[in-house]
Amino acid sequence: MLDAIYIQHLQQNAWFSHLDEPFQNFIIEHGKKHIVEKNTAVFNAQDRFDGVYGVLEGSISLGYIDVNGNEAIAAIAEPIMWFGEISLIDRQPRSHDAIALKKSVVLKIPAQPLNDFLAQNPYYWYYFALLTSQKLRYVFLEQIAIQTQNITQRLAQRLLFILEGYGNRTSILDLNIQISQDQLANMLTVSRQTVNQELNYFEKQGVIQLGFKKIQVIDLNKLKLLSTKGTLID
């Protein structure tokens, strides 16, 4: 049985909190807690599907590292965010790497009991459709931003995405983001210098406070204004 504190964390997750009680009970009873050391893979691209994961503690990078060591980061999963469901749906190997950015705790819903449960209760596939469409929505928002927004708006929007857990959190409870400027630059496909200049601007405007591989949002309303207008002049 999962620890009570983690069950409380799960209830703060938008997806889990809307599951029917039998599905919630299944996850709590069958979920396996795993500790993942920093820079260790939860899974790699092309691995066979072994289950769906949720982040209970820590931070997991979702992306891809090529044979030359070049890294592309699509998202950073933090508590509570689910990942790994794509291969559950399409029965294909993993599409990306999932690497711990620091020592993390993940909840694994193993493949076999999950497949058995869904075979017996096909209605619950609906919830995985919701989980996948939620992520797809954010992908479209990011693609639209690339074509229509300036870097100030895109950076502010991405910080909001992370705070929201890409739609996974019922509310924003933690205004601290554990991320490096290199990682942000990677996610936005711009230079580190550009990200550094924008973050310094945000800090001078009282929107954020910068730390070592950490960003603390000081004024959430200002950040939202930057994401929509690209300026603090309302």
Side-chain angles (χ1 to χ4, degrees), residues 175 205-208 216-224:
L175 294 177
Q205 298 301 315
V207 181
I208 64 171
Q216 181 182 5
V217 176
I218 304 299
D219 193 318
L220 188 60
N221 289 329
K222 284 185 177 180
L223 185 64
K224 291 179 179 178

Side-chain angles (χ1 to χ4, degrees), residues 60-118:
I60 307 294
S61 169
L62 306 178
Y64 185 73
I65 301 176
D66 67 17
V67 293
N68 297 316
N70 299 312
E71 184 177 19
I73 300 176
I76 293 178
E78 296 182 322
I80 298 289
M81 183 172 171
W82 298 93
F83 62 96
E85 78 283 353
I86 294 175
S87 293
L88 168 69
I89 295 171
D90 66 13
R91 306 296 182 182
Q92 298 296 311
R94 298 293 190 183
S95 60
H96 56 276
D97 302 316
I99 311 292
L101 294 174
K102 58 183 176 181
K103 187 175 182 178
S104 303
V105 180
V106 300
L107 179 67
K108 176 182 179 181
I109 311 173
Q112 191 58 58
L114 179 57
N115 283 323
D116 292 344
F117 181 80
L118 292 172

